[in-house]
Amino acid sequence: MAARTGPVRAGAAPSLETPVPEELETPAVAEELPKAYDHREVEARWYRVWRERGYFHADEKDRSRPAFSIVLPPPNVTGSLHLGHALTATLQDVLVRWKRMSGFNALWLPGTDHAGIATQMIVEKELQRSEKKSRHDVGRAEFLKRVWAWKEQYGSRIGVQHAALGASLDWERERFTMDEGLSRAVREVFVRLWEEGLVYRAKRLINWCPRCHTALSDLEVAYEENHPGELWSFAYPLADGSGEIVVATTRPETMLGDTAVAVHPDDDRYRALVGKAVRHPLLDRHFPIVADAVLVDPAFGTGAVKVTPAHDFNDFEVGQRHHLPMISVIGPDGRMTAEAGAFAGLDRFEARKRVKAAIEEKGLARGSKPHVLPLGRCQRCETVLEPLLSDQWFVRIEPLARPAIEAVERGRTRFIPEPWTNTYMAWMRNIHDWCISRQLWWGHQIPAWYCPDGHVTVAREVPQACATCGRAELRQDEDVLDTWFSSALWPFSTLGWPDDTEELDTFYPTSVMETGHDIIFFWVARMMMMGLHFMGDVPFRTVFLHAMVRDEKGQKMSKTKGNVIDPLEVTEKYGADALRFTLAALTSAQGRDIKLAKERIEGYRAFANKLWNATRFALMNLKGFRPGASGPPPAGTPADRWILARLARAVNATLDALEAFRFDEASSTIYRFLWGDLCDWYIELSKEALYGADPAQREGAQAVLAHALETSLRLLHPFMPFVTEQLWQTLKSATGAAGGPDSIMVASYPARTAVDEDAERSFGPVIGIVEAIRNVRGEMNVPFKTPFAGVEVGALSAEAHATVRAEQGRIERLANVPGLVLRAAGQPAGRRAQCAVAVGDGFEVLIPLAGAVDMAAESARVDKEIARVDADLEGLSKRLSNPSFVERAPAEVVEEARARAAELRQKRGKLEAHRALLSAAPEPAPPAPAPGAAPEAAAEAPPKAARPPQKAAGKRVARAAKAAKRRPSAAAGKRKAGAGKAARRPSQKKRKRVRKPARRAAPRRTRR
């Protein structure tokens, strides 16, 4: 067992109590595995062991190893693990475990966010439910005391859930955005920005939630696109009585706050009216008609626009340009203010109805029409937001954004997938000042104090007197800072800033920020700005933005649709390893959305079971074996050389994929090697040596099997930590490996090695020939017990020809093709009618069908299948040719129908080709080779002593090759757990199969 160098520091007692039985704290490792793989027992066994041995803890004093660091995006303290959290935790843990095993001083820092609005709402609801009181009834100090009590009781819940997922977080460094150290950092940042003129307080128009009673930044607005509304027109009488001007609005109630009507300066219809006044028909007020080329589009509506500066963001800018009064007619509670006259006290939506009715009574209504518009809602409670004029605190963003743009332009931070760079740049170049004050009690209270004279004092600690006039009567601002303000400091505040700490010296900048693309503006951009401003360097070198997790049809998951997948339920049923591997296998560096189905997770649960049974087989056949020197063992047979070459290629490809953040390619590479090359092939190929009488051959096969399996477990560990630890420990115990690491977590990750391409080229055709014949069996429904006679192999290179000739007896047994005809090196196989021809990489196989296939019955079956396909295609064609279906059906439904039609057309083509092959006229088979013929023309039977027991050569070698080459699919879950056993090959019976990625390019089918 290879070990990495570098100290492992024992940590303090865990701060997070995981639900692990006491008797499993220090698990004893048996030399044998239970027959059945139980993920619950395995996953409960190891997490506490890892933590108590200090494996998760990074050493800030260790400068002998390169540093690698990631900060976990802090989930809300109110939260429960959802698929977004699970995806982030999986990908980050893969990176951290890989780097840790590769000799890096790896830090993965956990923490939670105080979630101002969400947490306050929860405690307020509980207070109302239990005591029938509001927060105002108990007062601010008592309310905050209750929030802290709630946090202490429930705040660790999501940490426990991360532990259940196997996240190797450095729990000793766990932070909270309102802990003492981070609160100090927040105050320091606010004060410095104030002193630099980058924080200011002003009366500005902001997004206001009447239910949460707080301001929201633009990013916290959830827009309901295509909301069905109404564009309602009415007339303003000219003040001089000479006529009227018609305007249109989607919010009639806001006309009570109008202070102007705007027209385009080049619009000839209204040029003479500019400068005149109109009379408000419901209030005793006159206001002007102004010319504004920025606001008004002459082609839209009537070409005249009502202006409400206190209740519309565009109108606010018009009001500033033309020095208009700003009249607030809607209050913070969503009700009309005294400025609304007779409508004061009404709910804003009720006022809308009353205003329309009053205008109609005065004969000024000019009609309405349907109008689709984006409707802004509170991201938290979905209440329709109201633009309100309010005194708020803002960050002047442009000076902070400029360095963050330059850092990305110069490559100091890169985005993966790369297209997100353009998104980041576009937003940063058009950024607006950030409203950072929130009208809440839970959060970082703004460190600003006011004296009776209105002077503002901003300070790190509570001031004793006003900094301007010296008065001692001070009142602290009641607002708190936006939750994202403290989160923007996360990469450096969590490492001890503003102090100059060893953690900062060692781990800042962090290496990778892995998160969802939906918070690139909320969080990533703000971290870039704050990190550069306060640390003088970018907060992370690489930003990897994962895609959205959707259901198997590509639809967004929602409780309403009933398609939500709960990761906690999934891990209970299938195991954390299966969920982790599934999420990694579906995550590409191109950022494609993840389509997740439970059947896929079930398929990877079968993969863990396959690996479990492969290790059980190895343990049964490694008795008495003791590993020698570290490194690959000497390869004795062509099969040994082949599996070691395939292992080296898998290791190299996995490292390439991980370095490029191609998690899907890394996981599929490991999957294909373990399921296909090792379990399906090498274990089968090694049986002759393992079961044979030659001790040297047995020892060689044992060494290669043990090495390939142990290396594969280390390769897989970052993706499936629990099962690999259990199997690695058992393998180590059974083989008596002395010394070395105590855990796979601190073992070395497999390193790059040269690939023996000669071994792959020479032995690859042996595998390819058997797979090609099995493919034909599957397509033709020919059971394994029915032999194919007269099979020919040709087009082999000289090296491959020698290997295939040496392995000819094995090919005959594994494929049930007695009398295999091997053509001379370079000579192609013959061509005859009613024969299937498979062309692979460096070989051709000709398979006579006569005698093995009932041509008439098979033709009838194919005809029926074609008829069924035609019927399905006809139905789909009618739907897709119907304009009503294409235009009105959901886009994903139409796309699904098109994909299904394409699939059916492809299937029909294959069936037609199959029918043509069956209908070809038969030709006589070539004469059997004469006794004593050369090996090129006749198969040499291997010596009886070299044959494995009949049990291994019979049913257990029968396979449907398709099942061995597919990725897990919706059919995977129907497969019985025992079907994954490495020592038993699946039978040829039709059944739902676990799909797995193709190990190599499938042989091309041709025919004569």
Side-chain angles (χ1 to χ4, degrees), residues 648-944:
R649 187 172 296 282
V651 168
N652 296 349
T654 300
L655 289 170
D656 288 342
L658 286 173
E659 288 165 1
F661 296 88
R662 297 193 299 266
F663 296 94
D664 55 341
E665 292 183 21
S667 54
S668 64
T669 295
I670 299 170
Y671 181 95
R672 288 195 302 268
F673 173 78
L674 273 167
W675 188 296
D677 294 340
L678 183 62
C679 294
D680 277 358
W681 282 109
Y682 184 71
I683 284 180
E684 189 67 39
L685 296 169
S686 68
K687 289 177 181 177
E688 289 191 11
L690 293 173
Y691 298 162
D694 187 331
Q697 286 190 2
R698 174 179 171 80
E699 186 175 340
Q702 286 178 321
V704 171
L705 178 59
H707 171 77
L709 181 57
E710 191 273 340
T711 305
S712 302
L713 292 173
R714 286 187 282 122
L715 194 67
L716 177 62
H717 176 73
F719 299 86
M720 292 181 131
F722 292 111
V723 70
T724 52
E725 180 73 88
Q726 180 66 47
L727 299 179
W728 187 89
Q729 293 282 357
T730 308
L731 184 64
K732 178 184 177 184
S733 176
T735 57
D742 294 328
S743 166
I744 194 172
M745 262 199 70
V746 290
S748 293
Y749 201 71
R752 296 180 188 277
T753 55
V755 178
D756 186 347
E757 295 182 354
D758 291 339
E760 285 186 309
R761 280 194 299 268
S762 64
F763 197 80
V766 174
I767 306 295
I769 291 165
V770 175
E771 284 186 334
I773 297 169
R774 288 175 176 169
N775 280 342
V776 172
R777 286 188 182 278
E779 292 172 7
M780 296 291 184
N781 296 313
V782 179
F784 178 79
K785 65 182 181 181
T786 301
F788 279 135
V791 173
E792 294 184 22
V793 176
L796 293 165
S797 66
E799 184 180 15
H801 183 274
T803 303
V804 171
R805 181 174 61 183
E807 299 289 336
Q808 185 168 339
R810 194 199 306 267
I811 294 172
E812 291 181 351
R813 290 191 300 279
L814 293 177
N816 195 8
V817 286
L820 181 69
V821 177
L822 186 60
R823 296 291 182 183
Q827 180 183 347
R831 294 290 187 271
R832 299 195 304 279
Q834 290 190 341
C835 286
V837 177
V839 181
D841 187 9
F843 68 89
E844 290 180 351
V845 183
L846 182 141
I847 306 164
L849 302 178
V853 177
D854 185 333
M855 299 296 187
E858 182 65 7
S859 294
R861 185 193 69 80
V862 171
D863 287 341
K864 289 181 181 179
E865 186 65 20
I866 290 176
R868 279 196 293 268
V869 170
D870 287 342
D872 290 346
L873 264 175
E874 183 180 2
L876 281 171
S877 297
K878 287 181 179 178
R879 293 177 70 192
L880 291 170
S881 61
N882 183 350
S884 179
F885 169 74
V886 175
E887 294 170 6
R888 297 181 183 179
E892 61 269 15
V893 174
V894 176
E895 185 58 34
E896 184 180 352
R898 286 173 176 159
R900 175 61 178 158
E903 181 184 336
L904 287 171
R905 284 191 289 269
Q906 184 179 24
K907 182 177 180 180
R908 195 186 194 287
K910 290 181 178 180
L911 288 169
E912 287 281 7
H914 185 42
R915 182 168 61 182
L917 175 63
L918 294 169
S919 61
E923 292 183 7
E936 288 80 0
E940 293 182 7
K944 289 186 177 181

Side-chain angles (χ1 to χ4, degrees), residues 82-406:
H82 58 61
L83 277 174
H85 296 135
L87 177 59
T88 293
T90 294
L91 300 183
Q92 291 194 359
D93 200 29
V94 167
L95 294 173
V96 170
R97 287 178 182 267
W98 163 48
K99 289 294 186 178
R100 191 184 287 125
M101 295 175 71
S102 299
F104 283 72
N105 185 15
L107 168 66
W108 187 17
L109 193 148
T112 48
D113 189 279
H114 64 277
I117 296 176
T119 307
Q120 180 162 311
M121 285 178 62
I122 288 174
V123 179
E124 281 192 274
K125 287 179 180 178
E126 176 61 24
L127 185 63
Q128 182 64 37
R129 185 191 64 80
S130 61
E131 301 181 35
K132 301 292 187 277
K133 293 180 180 179
S134 70
R135 61 185 166 109
H136 299 283
D137 293 331
V138 299
R140 184 167 191 150
E142 176 60 25
F143 179 76
L144 291 179
K145 180 180 178 182
R146 296 185 185 218
V147 179
W148 277 107
W150 183 93
K151 186 265 178 187
E152 292 304 315
Q153 183 175 358
Y154 300 106
S156 63
R157 176 174 50 193
I158 198 163
V160 173
Q161 293 165 351
H162 272 93
L165 198 63
S168 58
L169 290 153
D170 192 342
W171 293 111
E172 295 176 49
R173 289 190 167 95
E174 185 178 17
R175 304 304 299 267
F176 178 54
T177 50
M178 283 185 62
D179 67 31
E180 184 178 350
L182 269 61
S183 295
R184 177 177 164 231
V186 167
R187 290 193 302 272
E188 181 67 26
V189 165
F190 186 91
V191 172
R192 287 196 195 182
L193 292 176
W194 167 263
E195 293 171 345
E196 295 167 6
L198 296 176
V199 159
Y200 65 94
R201 191 169 187 260
K203 185 179 285 292
R204 298 276 295 272
L205 204 62
I206 48 88
N207 299 295
W208 180 266
C209 177
R211 181 176 177 185
C212 296
H213 295 284
T214 184
L216 300 174
S217 73
D218 293 342
L219 293 175
E220 294 170 295
V221 179
Y223 283 99
E224 177 190 341
E225 300 294 340
N226 302 318
H227 177 78
E230 175 191 38
L231 189 63
W232 182 71
S233 299
F234 69 97
Y236 270 126
L238 296 178
D240 61 7
S242 62
E244 67 181 28
I245 186 167
V246 178
V247 296
T249 181
T250 59
R251 303 173 66 212
E253 70 279 7
T254 62
M255 64 89 67
L256 299 170
D258 285 357
T259 57
V261 172
V263 297
H264 197 279
D266 298 331
D267 194 332
D268 292 336
R269 293 173 296 174
Y270 302 116
R271 194 188 303 273
L273 298 181
V274 175
K276 288 191 174 186
V278 300
R279 175 176 55 83
H280 200 293
L282 303 180
L283 300 169
D284 185 18
R285 201 164 68 229
H286 289 188
F287 46 83
I289 299 174
V290 299
D292 195 290
V294 178
L295 176 70
V296 181
D297 177 4
F300 181 77
T302 64
V305 180
K306 59 185 286 296
V307 180
T308 319
H311 293 286
D312 182 274
F313 288 97
N314 292 323
D315 293 1
F316 177 79
E317 301 296 332
V318 175
Q320 289 190 318
R321 287 195 293 272
H322 296 275
H323 308 290
L324 300 174
M326 299 193 181
I327 303 173
S328 295
V329 295
I330 303 174
D333 58 357
R335 294 186 172 276
M336 308 308 289
T337 68
E339 295 283 359
F343 302 91
L346 293 176
D347 176 80
R348 52 187 168 153
F349 299 117
E350 179 61 27
R352 179 176 298 179
K353 300 175 186 176
R354 300 281 187 92
V355 167
K356 288 175 64 177
I359 292 292
E360 297 236 9
E361 287 178 9
K362 292 183 178 291
L364 297 173
R366 296 295 180 263
S368 67
K369 61 181 179 180
H371 181 69
V372 173
L373 70 157
L375 186 66
R377 295 183 180 273
C378 175
Q379 191 183 56
R380 180 63 55 185
C381 68
E382 300 186 355
T383 299
V384 175
L385 297 178
E386 191 63 46
L388 283 189
L389 200 61
S390 175
D391 287 314
Q392 301 288 340
W393 289 89
F394 296 86
V395 173
R396 205 179 307 278
I397 285 291
E398 194 278 333
L400 298 173
R402 202 180 314 121
I405 292 171
E406 292 174 358

